[in-house]
Amino acid sequence: MKKIVLAYSGGLDTSCAVRWLKDTYEAEVVCFSAFIGEVGDRKLLMQKAKSAGASKVYVENLKEEFADDFIMPALWAHAKYEGKYLLATALGRPLIAKHLVKIAAIEKADCVAHGCTGKGNDQVRIEVGVKTLNPDLQIVAPLREWSFKSREEEIDYAEKHNILVSATKKSPYSIDKNIWGIAIEAGILEDPWTEPPADAYFMTRPLSEVPKKPLYVTIGFEEGRPVSLNGKSIKLVALIEKLNDIGGRYGVGRSDLIENRLVGIKSREIYEAPAATILQLAHEELEGLVMDRDFLHYKRVLSEKYAEQVYYGLWFTPLREALDQFFATHQSRVTGFIRIKLDQGQAVVVGRKSPFSHYSEELATYSEKDKFDRKAAEGFMKIWAMPYRGHKGK
Ligand code: ARG
């Protein structure tokens, strides 16, 4: 191994990893950091990586690419793993894999590395992503190999090698955050019977602190893409960030679940995803207004499959690509407005309209405006029941 590109977060693990890789493999280490959540301190990140021994540091703001190429497809797919998790972390990993491979090519590196642990899903997502994009690259996961047994040992190692690490107190949780949401695990959360304490939430307020009065927001969609907020056009990343802020203030988008990891473990994780919750609710509602029953019911099956593909690290695969085509097919009709009420931790749809709406008041009404042909209903039942006539139920 001559040159390694490391996915570098600036945290203790990846900081130690720079030096460890350099010494263990006698290789040059190039660091790559991506901003897909908050934009961090670029200079500090570079300083830290250099202090750990990196020969070069790439820091890239990839929020737009993340939103356009990863969040949008997941939004169209209505992707939720096990019906609940909106996949923020799972969507971020293939993006990181893609850029690791890209930088490895630029740098003529023969290896990439990451700081994922050996029992999580993220190692799978990054490594399968890298292998699908460039099977010739070697991959090293220092956390699966090195002998550090505790955080203290890593801190000692960093001190010994003059590696700059932030002085901030370590949170008792393991956190991963980007604009599509935050995942929080470990610490006291490992006891599935314990209610998450207040300090385990970062993006949303508890119900005791949300505004008393509800807030109404209107999201405008054009051809499937959310393009406006309360009548004002807004870019996708800005909209997501704004909805995280507003939704968070109303306590929207929290969940607490036991999920089935790909590696076979059940884990307890809590999530906050205000913008993702609101946007997926809005998109589902609008699509429900403009599409027919068969399409909608069948799509649910594919949504579940799609969420699994994403969760299992199978992003760069023929099936995911084909499913994206399916979900894109009728987005041109998903144009219109959805009105949502944010109230006491909930986001609830209260209004919807679209030029492509299939809703007909004349057909639905119970008033004198009714145009529904009740006579025809009789014949419909006759034929619908035909196969089952006389079948005595159990
Ligand atoms: N369980 C989530 C997933 O597999 C999140 C993983 C990262 N979580 C964390 N707290 N570091 O996508």
Side-chain angles (χ1 to χ4, degrees):
M1 233 172 270
K2 282 190 225 72
K3 210 190 228 187
I4 304 173
V5 182
L6 168 70
Y8 177 74
S9 72
L12 181 61
D13 286 340
T14 49
S15 291
C16 290
V18 178
R19 178 69 198 228
W20 184 88
L21 285 166
K22 236 180 112 167
D23 291 353
T24 308
Y25 292 99
E26 291 171 8
E28 182 182 340
V29 179
V30 172
C31 285
F32 158 63
S33 297
F35 295 139
I36 54 173
E38 276 141 30
V39 173
D41 185 337
R42 183 182 291 262
K43 258 204 189 138
L44 180 64
L45 207 56
M46 290 192 161
Q47 257 173 17
K48 282 185 182 173
K50 286 264 164 81
S51 79
S55 64
K56 198 164 172 185
V57 189
Y58 287 78
V59 182
E60 290 176 22
N61 183 341
L62 300 178
K63 284 202 267 189
E64 242 170 76
E65 181 181 347
F66 183 46
D68 287 338
D69 298 348
F70 295 83
I71 289 176
M72 274 309 301
L75 178 63
W76 284 4
H78 303 160
K80 269 189 196 167
Y81 181 64
E82 298 187 332
K84 290 178 188 149
Y85 165 41
L86 285 149
L87 297 163
T89 297
L91 289 165
R93 301 310 181 192
L95 172 75
I96 290 168
K98 180 179 160 191
H99 283 265
L100 276 176
V101 170
K102 196 183 88 185
I103 293 170
I106 296 170
E107 289 290 326
K108 299 193 171 45
D110 49 358
C111 178
V112 296
H114 61 78
C116 304
T117 74
K119 52 196 280 190
N121 296 313
D122 290 329
Q123 54 177 347
V124 182
R125 296 167 184 150
I126 291 188
E127 295 191 24
V128 173
V130 168
K131 284 180 203 296
T132 53
L133 296 173
N134 182 354
D136 296 332
L137 279 169
Q138 296 185 61
I139 305 173
V140 187
L143 274 75
R144 286 201 305 253
E145 291 185 21
W146 67 27
S147 55
F148 300 127
K149 273 180 215 68
S150 67
R151 206 177 150 72
E152 285 62 40
E153 283 183 34
E154 287 183 45
I155 292 171
D156 288 345
Y157 179 84
E159 265 171 22
K160 196 173 120 206
H161 292 97
N162 295 317
I163 299 170
L164 257 177
V165 288
S166 302
T168 49
K169 222 181 118 233
K170 164 80 174 147
S171 148
Y173 309 106
S174 159
I175 292 161
D176 185 68
K177 185 179 182 191
N178 62 47
I179 54 171
W180 204 231
I182 183 169
I184 308 124
E185 64 179 335
I188 185 101
L189 300 172
E190 284 172 2
D191 175 359
W193 182 249
T194 302
E195 181 178 356
D199 75 353
Y201 292 101
F202 299 85
M203 295 175 80
T204 56
R205 291 191 193 173
L207 287 188
S208 56
E209 286 169 30
V210 301
K212 292 234 156 43
K213 276 214 212 129
L215 181 77
Y216 291 84
V217 292
T218 300
I219 297 163
F221 287 84
E222 257 166 43
E223 307 204 337
R225 249 183 108 86
V227 293
S228 70
L229 181 64
N230 299 327
K232 274 203 210 114
S233 59
I234 183 166
K235 290 221 173 97
L236 185 55
V237 170
L239 174 65
I240 293 169
E241 288 178 336
K242 185 116 199 168
L243 288 176
N244 275 333
D245 182 44
I246 305 175
R249 259 192 285 135
Y250 282 79
V252 169
R254 285 187 176 191
S255 56
D256 170 352
L257 38 126
I258 298 287
E259 73 189 37
N260 291 291
R261 275 195 205 159
L262 181 54
V263 294
I265 304 168
K266 282 193 195 294
S267 72
R268 198 276 188 96
E269 190 125 19
I270 61 174
Y271 296 99
E272 299 170 276
T277 301
I278 296 168
L279 287 173
Q280 201 176 102
L281 179 71
H283 189 277
E284 275 180 38
E285 184 71 16
L286 188 55
E287 200 170 74
L289 188 68
V290 302
M291 295 304 296
D292 63 276
R293 181 177 59 199
D294 280 346
F295 176 86
L296 293 167
H297 289 189
Y298 196 71
K299 173 169 173 170
R300 295 173 81 99
V301 180
L302 299 186
S303 295
E304 200 167 312
K305 185 70 196 167
Y306 190 92
E308 275 179 17
Q309 288 284 117
V310 175
Y311 189 88
Y312 294 167
L314 303 174
W315 181 265
F316 300 105
T317 58
L319 180 57
R320 196 272 306 164
E321 290 161 7
L323 288 173
D324 275 343
Q325 296 287 318
F326 176 89
F327 298 127
T329 309
H330 298 297
Q331 291 301 322
S332 59
R333 288 203 228 167
V334 185
T335 292
F337 295 93
I338 297 294
R339 197 160 172 258
I340 287 178
K341 178 162 118 175
L342 307 177
D343 189 21
Q344 300 295 312
Q346 299 297 320
V348 187
V349 175
V350 292
R352 62 290 270 163
K353 63 178 174 189
S354 165
F356 303 102
S357 171
H358 280 192
Y359 178 85
S360 158
E361 203 171 339
E362 286 179 336
L363 292 180
T365 184
Y366 288 101
S367 75
E368 64 283 355
K369 282 191 267 171
D370 188 9
K371 292 260 172 67
F372 186 76
D373 184 353
R374 287 153 201 260
K375 281 264 157 53
E378 202 181 317
F380 168 74
M381 259 89 75
K382 204 167 164 181
I383 290 166
W384 189 241
M386 200 159 319
Y388 321 107
R389 274 184 319 156
H391 173 76
K392 303 198 173 44
K394 282 191 184 151

